[in-house]
Amino acid sequence: MSHSLSTAALGISALALGFTLWQGWTLIEHNRLSVRPHVISTPYIEGPGARNGLYIVNLGLGPALLTNVSISFNGTAYDLSTDFWEEALAAIGIEPGCFSRSWLPMGAAILVDQEIALLAMRDVSVPLCLHESLKLLTEHRIEVAMEYGSLYGEQLSMTQGFELDSPRQDYARALRKLTDPR
């Protein structure tokens, strides 16, 4: 009888140890996922007083630690860690003076819910700039590629391309807001 009790106690102990190890692994996985960043890029044409341009945002639960970021226009790639905008916009026939521009140095962090305007229209009340913004977002293939890490050292990546196919509706809505900014 004592041999079967010893065997049962050993079995229960092994099950308890296995359950404890599984709980520890689950907790580590939960903690890793609870600080995982999720970065996306989005073009906006919202008209006066709103977002107009190309933005990135971290929708995840932890900061995104940048390791490599690039943007391409019609297949020509540029390193987003440097101020390349003047050259890139001129190459595709867009007036650079219409946009405020930013770049992302390597090692920088994009915080949770932080939205960064990579390229935003400076003044929507200038018809030329509205036209240039719409031309940029509707006539060119834009692709943003990012490699970034989480606080746990997990390496993630995002590649997102844009070819807006509703330029007529976007342009008309933006022009209506320009003439009637209610």
Side-chain angles (χ1 to χ4, degrees):
M1 172 110 163
S2 77
H3 179 58
S4 29
L5 282 176
S6 297
T7 304
L10 183 62
I12 292 172
S13 297
L15 284 174
L17 176 62
F19 183 73
T20 301
L21 291 174
W22 175 80
Q23 271 188 315
W25 178 84
T26 303
L27 180 63
I28 290 169
E29 183 67 10
H30 174 270
N31 290 344
R32 185 184 64 78
L33 291 174
S34 69
V35 294
R36 185 180 217 184
H38 181 74
V39 179
I40 65 167
S41 58
T42 308
Y44 289 105
I45 303 174
E46 295 179 341
R51 296 172 295 190
N52 296 284
L54 183 60
Y55 292 74
I56 59 170
V57 64
N58 179 4
L59 299 174
L61 300 173
L65 309 172
L66 301 179
T67 56
N68 191 18
V69 187
S70 66
I71 188 168
S72 67
F73 296 101
N74 302 328
T76 303
Y78 299 90
D79 182 1
L80 255 172
S81 67
T82 62
D83 184 9
F84 65 93
W85 289 109
E86 197 85 24
E87 171 194 344
L89 293 175
I92 59 173
I94 301 292
E95 172 55 47
C98 286
F99 300 95
S100 60
R101 306 170 294 259
S102 63
W103 52 95
L104 305 166
M106 292 308 103
I110 302 174
L111 304 178
V112 175
D113 293 330
Q114 182 180 13
E115 185 174 68
I116 298 172
L118 293 177
L119 194 62
M121 193 174 11
R122 283 190 180 162
D123 188 357
V124 292
S125 65
V126 176
L128 170 68
C129 291
L130 179 60
H131 176 71
E132 291 296 293
S133 180
L134 290 167
K135 192 166 83 171
L136 171 72
L137 294 175
T138 59
E139 292 181 0
H140 301 282
R141 170 105 176 116
I142 301 169
E143 186 174 278
V144 177
M146 300 180 80
E147 294 174 7
Y148 55 96
S150 72
L151 292 177
Y152 273 83
E154 180 181 21
Q155 291 303 304
L156 304 161
S157 65
M158 173 274 293
T159 301
Q160 212 162 5
F162 303 103
E163 280 184 292
L164 300 184
D165 55 3
S166 61
R168 206 173 308 147
Q169 294 92 350
D170 292 334
Y171 189 63
R173 184 177 62 249
L175 283 177
R176 277 195 304 276
K177 283 187 176 183
L178 182 63
T179 58
D180 186 20
R182 280 186 260 162

